[in-house]
Amino acid sequence: MRRSRTQQGATFVVTVAVLAGLVAILAGVASTHRVNARAALNRMEMRRAQFAAEAGIQRALAAFDTLKPGVVSQQDDWATLGTNGADQFLLGDVSFRVQIVDAGSKVNLNTASAQTLAKLPLTQEQVDCLLDWRSSNLNPRPDGAKDDYY
C-alpha cells in the first residue's frame, strides 16, 4: 500500500518536530550541566581562598608565639613579617600575603599633646597650626594660625 504525499509530508513534519524537541532538550541538559560544573568550580575556588586566608592567619599567629611577654619592638618578627605585604607565601598551588600593622603605635592627631606632636616629623609651624585648628581659643600660637575660615 502506497502512502499519499500528504501522509508522507505529515510524517516528515512530525519527525522534524520530534527531532527539534530532542535537540532542545539536549541543549537544555548541556546548558544545565555547564552551569553546574561552573558552580562546582566556583565552590572549589572559594574553599581554596578560605584555606589560604586561614593559613595567613595561622602564619601571623605563629609570629606572635615568639614574643616575650612585655618586651615588644618594631624589630620583632611580627613587625617585619611579609615585608609590608610584599612577600608572597606559597601554600600548595595558592599563595597569600601577610602584613601585621601595629595600630597601637599610631597617633590620634585630634587628641595628641603638643609634646607628642613635637616628636613627629612635623615642623613647629605645622604643630602650632594643628593645635590652633583644634582649639576654640581665638589667640593663635606663635607659629600657628587662626582664621574664621577654619
Side-chain angles (χ1 to χ4, degrees), residues 10 35 67 91 126:
V35 167
L67 292 177
L91 176 67
Q126 290 170 327

Side-chain angles (χ1 to χ4, degrees), residues 36-119:
N36 288 339
R38 186 67 190 156
L41 183 62
N42 286 344
R43 284 191 299 274
M44 193 166 59
E45 290 294 324
M46 289 289 289
R47 293 286 303 223
R48 290 176 64 204
Q50 181 180 0
F51 287 142
E54 289 173 2
I57 292 169
Q58 290 301 319
R59 178 61 181 96
L61 290 175
F64 285 125
D65 283 343
T66 62
L67 292 177
K68 295 176 186 164
V71 182
V72 179
S73 76
Q74 294 287 334
Q75 309 311 317
D76 291 338
D77 288 340
W78 67 269
T80 59
L81 176 66
T83 317
N84 293 328
D87 293 344
Q88 280 189 321
F89 297 90
L90 296 176
L91 176 67
D93 59 345
V94 296
S95 65
F96 60 89
R97 297 173 192 258
V98 175
Q99 179 183 8
I100 300 173
V101 177
D102 181 14
S105 66
K106 294 186 177 188
V107 176
N108 184 349
L109 295 178
N110 292 318
T111 59
S113 67
Q115 294 79 15
T116 302
L117 291 173
K119 293 178 185 177

